[in-house]
């Protein structure tokens, strides 16, 4: 077998960087030389993981590209969470397109055997082809969402609907799943051609031309959809997750992504004082920021639910940095009962703690899978992207969650969810017979996830198969 060297090139957003770092570590732990490609201000997020992997005797490295300067983008904006407004997203992606020449220089210099590049870099398939190496795609979604989205694009079951509340079924998938018009991305509904939608169309095309797709999921979680993806949508796919499970030590679980706004000790001391399954963890991913009005509703709903909580609070970029969202006396009343983290939380460490009994999530795929791997039932509060599909997987297919009732595809507002909806959903995820049944189902999935990544498990074997195939490329 040849010594494999694989380049990993994640999009500059934590929801992509975190799982791709885990993926690169996983490849390295199986004897592959893994190189992460990134930009100067994102490099520190990888440094510890790479160092730790090398300390264990594996081979990992980082290569740094200069982030292109473009008009309209603030200086030092190298990550999606620093983009001042959603309207600037296309400018940001246009800037990343300019990394092509630099990547090709690296491919020329180091001659890796494969390029694993994010779906948001459609041009990477052609770059890999110039050097006769396979390009694998990572898009960060689960299989259910990929299948649902694929079928929606083919059949457009909503095309004759007008009102936001008009409902339709996702066509041609193994389960009956209903959505309403307002849960679709605006560009999906209108078919308007913008720079962003052109980039998405290119991404889909480049995925079809690529060697295949690496999926952060495991076969037993979505078997119907793993089969559907391969056999109906005709994609070559390897599911090798949950990737977060490659983080074994407390330190690795606590130090993913950005620097946490709370120390491990403080967080664990608080959690250790709570009984099992008694705390709700609330977090809306790496970019979810809510306006004061929505935070206020959450605070009142949480208090009324009478449940203990850890709440990761990030305010909208346009809000004044005040605590104007906080109900009078809230923090004092919540001492010992609720912990607020203002900034980045050590999410996987928190979810893995036995005190956590529920997770209010925006249904980003990483958070969804991290919740599943930790055996935690969820309150679903999708916001945008493929999160509405993930909600349906959690609530309707796996039956391990309760919907808060989000009906609107939104970036930056929270969807105007009322305090009563928060109170009801939070209480029902912790208390009652149905909560117990959900918890049991979660325990089953947690065990399956663990088995999948252990030696001989489905994800372990799928990664083996992929590494074998890459080793014998191009004859494979
Ligand atoms: N995350 C974290 N701490 C935070 C917020 C997010 O560790 O305070 C991590 C989380 O564990 C997950 C990723 O950031 O791995 C977010 O990815 P996801 O797909 O859930 O959502 P996105 O940020 O892409 O919307």
């Amino acid at each position: 077998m040849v010594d494999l060297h694989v380049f990993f090139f994640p999009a500059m957003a934590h929801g992509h960087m975190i799982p791709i770092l885990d993926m690169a570590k996983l490849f390295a732990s199986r004897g592959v030389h893994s190189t992460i490609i990134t930009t100067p201000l994102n490099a520190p997020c990888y440094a510890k993981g790479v160092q730790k992997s090398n300390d264990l005797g594996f081979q990992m490295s980082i290569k740094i590209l200069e982030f292109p300067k473009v008009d309209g983008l603030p200086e030092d904006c190298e990550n999606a969470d620093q983009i001042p407004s959603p309207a600037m997203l296309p400018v940001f992606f246009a800037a990343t397109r300019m990394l092509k020449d630099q990547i090709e220089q690296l491919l020329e210099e180091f001659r890796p055997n494969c390029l694993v590049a994010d779906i948001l870099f459609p041009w990477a398939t052609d770059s890999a082809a110039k050097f006769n190496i396979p390009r694998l795609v990572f898009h960060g979604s689960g299989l259910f969402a990929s299948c649902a989205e694929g079928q929606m694009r083919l059949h457009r079951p909503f095309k004759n609907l007008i009102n936001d509340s008009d409902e339709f079924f996702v066509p041609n998938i193994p389960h009956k799943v209903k959505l309403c018009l307002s849960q679709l991305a605006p560009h999906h509904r209108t078919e308007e051609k913008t720079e962003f939608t052109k980039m998405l169309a290119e991404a889909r095309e480049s995925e079809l031309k690529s060697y295949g797709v690496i999926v952060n999921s495991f076969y037993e979680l979505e078997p119907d959809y793993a089969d559907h993806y391969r056999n109906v949508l005709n994609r070559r796919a390897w599911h090798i997750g949950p990737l977060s499970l490659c983080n074994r030590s407390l330190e690795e679980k606590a130090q993913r992504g950005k620097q946490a706004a709370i120390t491990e000790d403080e967080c664990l001391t608080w959690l250790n004082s709570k009984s099992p399954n008694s705390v709700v963890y609330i977090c809306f991913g790496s970019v979810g920021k809510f306006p004061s009005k929505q935070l206020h509703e959450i605070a009142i709903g949480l208090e009324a639910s009478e449940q203990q909580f850890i709440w990761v609070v990030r305010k909208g970029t346009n809000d004044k940095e005040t605590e104007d969202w906080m109900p009078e006396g809230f923090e004092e009343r919540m001492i010992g009962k609720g912990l607020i983290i203002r900034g980045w939380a050590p999410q996987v460490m928190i979810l893995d703690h036995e005190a956590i009994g529920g997770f209010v999530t925006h249904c980003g795929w990483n958070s969804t899978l991290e919740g599943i791997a930790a055996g935690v039932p969820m309150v679903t509060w999708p916001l945008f992207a493929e999160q509405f599909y993930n909600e349906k997987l959690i609530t309707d297919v796996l039956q391990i969650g309760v919907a808060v009732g989000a009906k609107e595809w939104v970036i930056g507002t929270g969807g105007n969810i009322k305090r009563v909806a928060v109170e009801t959903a939070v209480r029902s995820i912790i208390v009652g017979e149905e909560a117990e049944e959900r918890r049991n189902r979660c325990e089953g999935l947690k065990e399956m996830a663990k088995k999948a990544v252990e030696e001989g498990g489905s994800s372990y074997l799928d990664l083996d198969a992929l590494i074998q195939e890459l080793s014998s490329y191009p004859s494979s």
Side-chain angles (χ1 to χ4, degrees):
M1 208 163 88
V2 294
D3 285 335
L4 270 188
H5 183 190
V6 176
F7 269 19
F8 294 87
F9 184 32
M12 293 83 184
H14 292 284
H16 294 237
M17 292 160 59
I18 291 173
I20 292 190
L21 172 61
D22 284 345
M23 188 191 298
K25 281 162 54 179
L26 194 62
F27 272 73
S29 74
R30 305 285 275 277
V32 174
H33 176 189
S34 299
T35 296
I36 304 255
I37 314 293
T38 188
T39 62
L41 297 180
N42 289 306
C45 297
Y46 298 104
K48 272 201 183 134
V50 168
Q51 183 60 47
K52 168 101 184 157
S53 192
N54 286 328
D55 291 347
L56 290 170
F58 306 132
Q59 212 184 345
M60 279 191 82
S61 38
I62 304 180
K63 295 280 171 253
I64 297 180
L65 314 174
E66 279 313 313
F67 195 89
K69 295 210 180 332
V70 289
D71 283 347
L73 211 57
E75 189 115 334
D76 292 345
C77 177
E78 292 188 10
N79 193 296
D81 74 351
Q82 297 164 328
I83 301 175
S85 83
M88 283 181 124
L89 221 52
V91 187
F92 184 77
F93 287 118
T96 63
R97 182 180 290 275
M98 293 156 76
L99 293 167
K100 186 165 185 275
D101 287 348
Q102 291 186 67
I103 280 280
E104 290 180 6
Q105 277 163 22
L106 283 181
L107 291 172
E108 173 89 67
E109 187 179 350
F110 293 94
R111 294 287 173 159
N113 304 84
C114 174
L115 173 62
V116 177
D118 205 286
I119 184 82
L120 297 174
F121 304 130
W123 43 268
T125 302
D126 290 340
S127 295
K130 276 191 193 164
F131 298 89
N132 297 318
I133 59 168
R135 183 264 169 117
L136 285 163
V137 173
F138 178 72
H139 48 49
S141 307
L143 292 156
F144 174 82
S146 300
C147 293
E149 204 163 83
Q151 291 294 355
M152 290 276 286
R153 220 175 308 113
L154 284 173
H155 300 286
R156 299 181 54 80
F158 49 85
K159 60 179 177 281
N160 297 324
L161 305 180
I162 300 161
N163 302 314
D164 279 356
S165 58
D166 288 347
E167 293 179 324
F168 57 90
F169 285 100
V170 178
N172 276 11
I173 58 168
H175 291 83
K176 271 200 137 3
V177 168
K178 209 177 352 174
L179 291 170
C180 69
L181 202 54
S182 55
Q183 292 174 321
L184 289 179
H187 59 256
H188 218 44
R189 289 170 65 169
T190 59
E191 273 198 298
E192 185 196 347
K193 299 259 181 301
T194 61
E195 281 310 306
F196 189 60
T197 59
K198 270 192 249 162
M199 197 270 289
L200 292 180
E202 253 182 82
R204 283 192 294 272
E205 221 171 277
S206 85
E207 180 184 318
L208 290 174
K209 284 197 303 181
S210 75
Y211 193 71
V213 182
I214 302 187
V215 186
N216 183 15
S217 188
F218 58 104
Y219 184 81
E220 294 77 6
L221 181 68
E222 346 174 58
D224 297 335
Y225 296 92
D227 294 342
H228 188 98
Y229 198 56
R230 277 183 173 147
N231 304 332
V232 181
L233 294 175
N234 293 319
R235 300 291 203 284
R236 304 200 69 208
W238 292 266
H239 13 85
I240 63 170
L243 291 167
S244 63
L245 289 180
C246 79
N247 298 290
R248 308 262 168 178
S249 68
L250 199 66
E251 190 192 9
E252 283 176 292
K253 289 178 193 176
Q255 300 176 354
R256 296 169 83 232
K258 297 207 268 192
Q259 178 72 39
I262 184 167
T263 65
E264 284 149 58
D265 275 356
E266 190 188 340
C267 196
L268 288 175
T269 305
W270 194 90
L271 281 165
N272 288 340
S273 71
K274 307 294 172 197
S275 43
N277 300 324
S278 68
V279 176
V280 178
Y281 169 68
I282 303 139
C283 181
F284 298 93
S286 62
V287 286
K289 290 179 187 143
F290 287 178
S292 298
K293 195 166 155 242
Q294 182 66 79
L295 293 175
H296 187 74
E297 289 297 304
I298 297 178
I300 295 186
L302 270 179
E303 186 168 2
S305 78
E306 300 181 317
Q307 305 306 312
Q308 304 182 100
F309 61 85
I310 294 183
W311 179 14
V312 184
V313 176
R314 271 193 292 270
K315 285 168 50 101
T317 33
N318 294 328
D319 284 339
K320 295 187 294 298
E321 288 302 319
T322 61
E323 303 273 270
D324 55 354
W325 57 271
M326 199 177 298
E328 183 86 36
F330 178 74
E331 214 164 12
E332 292 74 38
R333 285 195 302 281
M334 292 301 111
I335 287 174
K337 191 157 193 195
L339 178 66
I340 294 176
I341 300 179
R342 293 171 174 84
W344 192 256
Q347 176 158 309
V348 165
M349 185 191 86
I350 293 174
L351 285 173
D352 271 2
H353 197 282
E354 60 169 12
I356 298 296
F359 178 16
V360 181
T361 172
H362 72 311
C363 307
W365 182 243
N366 295 295
S367 295
T368 301
L369 204 52
E370 288 160 13
I372 288 169
V376 179
M378 291 174 250
V379 170
T380 55
W381 186 327
L383 302 170
F384 57 89
E386 89 296 10
Q387 295 157 13
F388 287 94
Y389 298 125
N390 296 340
E391 166 173 72
K392 295 294 176 181
L393 175 71
I394 295 169
T395 55
D396 297 10
V397 179
L398 301 172
Q399 300 178 7
I400 53 167
V402 175
V404 81
K407 296 280 181 237
E408 218 187 316
W409 202 98
V410 284
I411 300 186
T413 73
N416 203 14
I417 300 296
K418 302 286 183 244
R419 56 190 74 177
V420 180
V422 176
E423 175 192 345
T424 312
V426 164
R427 190 179 297 121
S428 68
I429 207 71
I430 297 284
V431 184
E433 212 171 291
E434 282 184 29
E436 206 49 47
E437 285 166 14
R438 251 179 248 117
R439 205 176 308 291
N440 290 337
R441 281 193 286 276
C442 283
E443 276 303 316
L445 290 173
K446 175 183 173 176
E447 282 310 307
M448 281 186 209
K450 222 162 63 188
K451 281 214 179 89
V453 297
E454 274 167 13
E455 199 168 336
S458 59
S459 292
Y460 187 96
L461 293 176
D462 230 14
L463 179 55
D464 254 2
L466 174 58
I467 291 175
Q468 290 285 347
E469 200 170 317
L470 293 177
S471 302
S472 55
Y473 186 87
S475 57
S476 63

